[in-house]
Amino acid sequence: MPATPDQHATAAGVDRIGKIGWVMPWIARVAWIVVAVVGGSAVQAAVDGRSQAVVWTTAIGGWLLWGLVALALALASVASLTVARVGVPVALVATIGAALAGAPAVDLVGLGAPA
């Protein structure tokens, strides 16, 4: 029995959703890499002039959090999705903190836009 136009439309819709489901995680992964590459200078500017202990604590904590979320975005599971949903908004909090500490606006965009 030949397929009806409704069945063709449904198959096309499912195929489109499948492609979106494959592309969206990659967009999130690339955006998270942008946070490290571009946003790191905002955090650095925020702790500039502070003690070495503050600079090192911020750097280590920031890279640990970034790595944890990067790993969560790389692994597709319910637990990793939870880690990403909790960790990514921390970048927004870091953006606000860096803004209050006087980081340049260009750097703040790189840190906060992906969040």
Side-chain angles (χ1 to χ4, degrees), residues 10-114:
T10 303
V14 169
D15 187 43
R16 195 174 312 126
I17 290 171
K19 288 179 183 176
I20 291 172
W22 181 82
V23 170
M24 291 305 290
W26 282 103
I27 291 172
R29 291 170 184 146
V30 169
W32 196 245
I33 290 171
V34 169
V35 167
V37 173
V38 180
S41 58
V43 175
Q44 182 181 1
V47 296
D48 206 23
R50 307 289 196 288
S51 71
Q52 285 290 39
V54 170
V55 171
W56 277 100
T57 302
T58 303
I60 292 170
W63 279 112
L64 284 174
L65 177 67
W66 183 87
L68 184 64
V69 173
L71 183 63
L73 289 171
L75 303 173
S77 72
V78 174
S80 67
L81 178 61
T82 302
V83 169
R85 284 184 174 172
V86 171
V88 170
V90 173
L92 190 57
V93 173
T95 303
I96 294 168
L100 293 175
V106 172
D107 296 337
L108 293 172
V109 170
L111 180 60

